[in-house]
Amino acid sequence: MTERLVYRVEAGDIEHGGNVSSLVKSELKDRGFSEKIARRAGIVVFEGEMNLILYAEDGGTVRVEVLPQTIEILIEDTGPGIEDVDLALTPGYSTAPEWALELGFGAGMGLVNMRNQCDRFEIHSRLGEGTHIRCVIFGGEDADR
């Protein structure tokens, strides 16, 4: 049985940054996923959520599809897009706005952390159209890292 959790994230809403990831982590633990798996998903969602807050002019959505042994996380926006995805996946590379840097965000590890926590990671971005990220985490007993 597939369950879908859908959350809207508003652009610039630093005050509520992290709320969606906390909810997702709690929901996954309630559904019987291990602490390690829920934590991995929480990291992916947090990084994606913060990218929506910092970069997506109109915010975006976080969708989590929960299957018995798999978690699929989809993060989508219609923001400015990423000019160079390979460069954006380089540890330490950041295009964070000045206000985000002043708050301690924008270390250039968000996409890297997302990729590192997933068993499958896909990112598609088009300038002027937005970014779509798909992360899959296998949640069976053998998947715990």
Side-chain angles (χ1 to χ4, degrees), residues 51-73:
N51 282 348
L52 292 173
I53 289 169
L54 297 175
Y55 300 106
E57 296 156 351
D58 295 322
T61 58
V62 174
R63 289 186 293 143
V64 181
E65 295 194 18
V66 183
L67 294 102
Q69 297 291 312
T70 306
I71 302 157
E72 182 172 352
I73 301 164

Side-chain angles (χ1 to χ4, degrees), residues 54-55 81-83 87-88 92-98 100-101 106-108:
L54 297 175
Y55 300 106
I82 300 170
E83 186 170 338
L87 186 56
Y93 177 78
S94 178
T95 59
E98 189 64 36
L101 295 171

Side-chain angles (χ1 to χ4, degrees), residues 45-122:
V45 172
F46 177 80
E47 297 291 5
E49 179 182 5
M50 293 310 297
N51 282 348
L52 292 173
I53 289 169
L54 297 175
Y55 300 106
E57 296 156 351
D58 295 322
T61 58
V62 174
R63 289 186 293 143
V64 181
E65 295 194 18
V66 183
L67 294 102
Q69 297 291 312
T70 306
I71 302 157
E72 182 172 352
I73 301 164
L74 302 162
I75 299 165
E76 301 175 314
D77 69 66
T78 56
I82 300 170
E83 186 170 338
D84 185 335
V85 170
D86 290 332
L87 186 56
L89 287 165
T90 302
Y93 177 78
S94 178
T95 59
E98 189 64 36
W99 64 266
L101 295 171
E102 290 171 3
L103 293 171
F105 297 103
M109 292 302 293
L111 292 175
V112 174
N113 286 337
M114 292 172 78
R115 182 180 57 194
N116 289 343
Q117 295 302 317
C118 296
D119 295 303
R120 290 194 181 137
F121 177 82
E122 299 170 14

Side-chain angles (χ1 to χ4, degrees), residues 5 15 29 31 39 54-56 67 70 85 106 139-141 144:
L5 309 171
E15 182 179 332
K29 288 195 289 187
R31 286 164 172 74
R39 181 180 164 278
L54 297 175
Y55 300 106
L67 294 102
T70 306
V85 170
E141 290 179 30
D144 273 349

